[in-house]
Amino acid sequence: MIDPMPSTTWADAQGLCTFVDASPSPFHVCATVSMLLTGNGFTELHETDSWPGEPGRYFLVRGGSLIAWSTEGLGRTAPFRIVGGHTDSPNLRVKQHPDLSSAGWQLVGLEPYGGAWLNSWLDRDLGISGRLSVRAGNAVEEKLVRVDEPILRVPQLAIHLSEDRKGVHLDPQRHLNGVWGVGSERRSFIDFVADRAEVPADAVLGWELMTHDLAPSALVGTEQDLVSAPRLDNQGTCYAGTQALLAAAENPGDRVPVLALFDHEEVGSMSDRGAFSDLLSTVLERIVLGRGGGREEFLQTMAGSICASGDMAHATHPNYPERHEPAHHIAVNGGPVLKVNQNLRYATDSAGAGAFALACDQAGVPLQRYVHRADLPCGSTIGPITASRTGLSTVDVGAAQLGMHSSRELMGARDVRAYSDALAAFLTPTA
């Protein structure tokens, strides 16, 4: 692979591959980020505890969401610079009554989560990950679970049985159940998962379980200048944002760098830990209050703060160039992407665009500008949600990729470092 330009962060393509392979679910994303943070001097806080007033490096986890920040060397009303992202990705998730049988096959009931590109999940060896709620006496404890075994497969219909041999329409109710054995007597899938998690099956009270493709992430192409991996949307941002925060903590400026990673973006963010929740606003206020500020100081701080909503962006597809805005070619390995939509599916305005463009300039990386075709519906991000819920000036940014919402996606290897460097410059702007 061709070496990228000198970097201000420790991000690289192989690091992204390692990160993704360690993080098959939002809960594992938080565990992976937590490990990186604690290894670099961050302390985990809990929302039910009193928080320290002294400056430091801190983070908290709420389910599949995580917020981290550093106040070292900064006053109590220093404004925030926030990089936002999301930990969840479209996939197939386990139903509450998963045990099914049909035509002599043992099946696990699955349903789509988010806008999964369903055909990409066919004929893949699938593992299981997520979390269990487990009885522990009179309390309930959380148990992360990860089964990296080829236990499930959603089989494609043979071409000879297709009506026109051009493909089949996938009914999400009938056609996406996973095969995991043969025989007429149903087996308990939750008992199987509990065994792998080393907990008693009768102690399992609830679960959030999802499938993941077992093929490892890889650098591909003759120059190894591409990253082939699952969940790049949006673990590409989770990884780049974490590396950007670590760099910002080592080189503090006059803003409080914050990393905010939310669960449930792919299904609208309407949850206790999604971007529509009070999680970010509450954490930011507690940071100010905990250091001796009041409500007035908090409002002043927010008025001077800005958020970069990081999510992946559409690279121009070589086989479908007509599906893109003709004047806005987006290249992989072409640098970070600024996303603009006049109907505010992205939150970017000219002020936010200027802040991120300046960050790219200070990081020494090129900037690309994305506009969606006006005759196609445009996706959205946590950007508009964050802007409307917090009043923060917000800009939508990302890194270019192909195959968004497929079980396997593709991005530029050099973009990993360029994206992280740009986010680091955004967190610690140069005067």
Side-chain angles (χ1 to χ4, degrees), residues 169-199:
H169 170 73
L170 295 174
D171 183 324
Q173 174 64 23
R174 296 185 296 126
H175 299 150
L176 296 177
N177 296 316
V179 168
W180 76 307
V182 295
S184 58
E185 185 176 349
R186 292 186 184 182
R187 295 181 289 164
S188 171
F189 186 69
I190 298 305
D191 285 0
F192 167 83
V193 174
D195 178 70
R196 290 298 190 272
E198 299 181 338
V199 299

Side-chain angles (χ1 to χ4, degrees), residues 2-216:
I2 300 173
D3 288 335
M5 63 190 72
S7 176
T8 58
T9 69
W10 299 283
D12 61 27
Q14 188 57 61
L16 172 60
C17 291
T18 300
F19 182 97
V20 171
D21 290 346
S23 310
S25 77
F27 313 110
H28 289 85
V29 172
C30 291
T32 302
V33 174
S34 297
M35 182 181 65
L36 292 170
L37 293 174
T38 54
N40 285 274
F42 283 74
T43 299
E44 182 173 6
L45 304 179
H46 300 280
E47 293 182 85
T48 55
D49 296 338
S50 297
W51 288 3
E54 61 270 16
R57 303 178 182 187
Y58 304 105
F59 72 96
L60 65 84
V61 176
R62 183 191 286 183
S65 298
L66 178 149
I67 298 182
W69 65 95
S70 174
T71 53
E72 291 180 336
L74 295 169
R76 68 187 185 188
T77 59
F80 298 107
R81 277 292 177 110
I82 303 162
V83 167
H86 65 90
T87 60
D88 60 323
S89 300
N91 56 20
L92 303 179
R93 299 201 170 188
V94 178
K95 293 182 176 181
Q96 289 299 294
H97 293 286
D99 303 325
L100 306 172
S101 61
S102 176
W105 293 90
Q106 295 295 306
L107 305 173
V108 173
L110 303 174
E111 63 179 311
Y113 172 86
W117 204 225
L118 298 180
N119 64 344
S120 71
W121 287 88
L122 303 180
D123 294 332
R124 290 185 177 272
D125 295 330
L126 302 176
I128 287 289
S129 64
R131 68 174 178 175
L132 304 175
S133 291
V134 180
R135 180 189 291 111
N138 292 322
V140 179
E141 295 181 349
E142 176 185 314
K143 175 76 172 181
L144 286 186
V145 60
R146 175 177 179 175
V147 184
D148 283 330
E149 302 172 31
I151 57 175
L152 291 177
R153 189 177 182 93
V154 181
Q156 171 67 284
L157 182 69
I159 192 171
H160 315 85
L161 304 179
S162 174
E163 290 184 2
D164 56 11
R165 293 200 176 193
K166 292 182 179 179
V168 294
H169 170 73
L170 295 174
D171 183 324
Q173 174 64 23
R174 296 185 296 126
H175 299 150
L176 296 177
N177 296 316
V179 168
W180 76 307
V182 295
S184 58
E185 185 176 349
R186 292 186 184 182
R187 295 181 289 164
S188 171
F189 186 69
I190 298 305
D191 285 0
F192 167 83
V193 174
D195 178 70
R196 290 298 190 272
E198 299 181 338
V199 299
D202 60 3
V204 176
L205 302 175
W207 58 86
E208 294 169 84
L209 297 173
M210 59 206 72
T211 60
H212 62 273
D213 179 16
L214 291 177

Side-chain angles (χ1 to χ4, degrees), residues 148-330:
D148 283 330
E149 302 172 31
I151 57 175
L152 291 177
R153 189 177 182 93
V154 181
Q156 171 67 284
L157 182 69
I159 192 171
H160 315 85
L161 304 179
S162 174
E163 290 184 2
D164 56 11
R165 293 200 176 193
K166 292 182 179 179
V168 294
H169 170 73
L170 295 174
D171 183 324
Q173 174 64 23
R174 296 185 296 126
H175 299 150
L176 296 177
N177 296 316
V179 168
W180 76 307
V182 295
S184 58
E185 185 176 349
R186 292 186 184 182
R187 295 181 289 164
S188 171
F189 186 69
I190 298 305
D191 285 0
F192 167 83
V193 174
D195 178 70
R196 290 298 190 272
E198 299 181 338
V199 299
D202 60 3
V204 176
L205 302 175
W207 58 86
E208 294 169 84
L209 297 173
M210 59 206 72
T211 60
H212 62 273
D213 179 16
L214 291 177
S217 304
L219 302 183
V220 301
T222 57
E223 300 292 327
Q224 292 192 318
D225 53 355
L226 299 170
V227 178
S228 169
R231 302 181 297 279
L232 291 177
D233 175 21
N234 189 28
Q235 290 189 28
T237 296
C238 295
Y239 173 74
T242 300
Q243 295 298 332
L245 177 64
L246 295 178
E250 291 296 321
N251 300 281
D254 59 355
R255 321 290 169 93
V256 177
V258 179
L259 176 68
L261 304 178
F262 297 100
D263 200 354
H264 296 148
E265 187 272 348
E266 297 291 359
V267 291
S269 298
M270 297 285 287
S271 71
D272 68 309
R273 57 184 184 265
F276 255 119
S277 73
D278 67 350
L279 177 57
L280 179 59
S281 294
T282 298
V283 169
L284 298 180
E285 184 169 8
R286 290 187 72 173
I287 292 172
V288 175
L289 297 179
R291 302 190 63 201
R295 180 69 177 175
E296 179 67 18
E297 286 82 4
F298 169 66
L299 295 176
Q300 291 175 346
T301 299
M302 293 292 282
S305 301
I306 184 170
C307 174
S309 164
D311 210 338
M312 301 302 278
H314 299 294
T316 301
H317 199 298
N319 295 335
Y320 302 90
E322 72 281 358
R323 306 300 289 177
H324 301 269
E325 172 60 39
H328 292 75
H329 178 81
I330 302 296

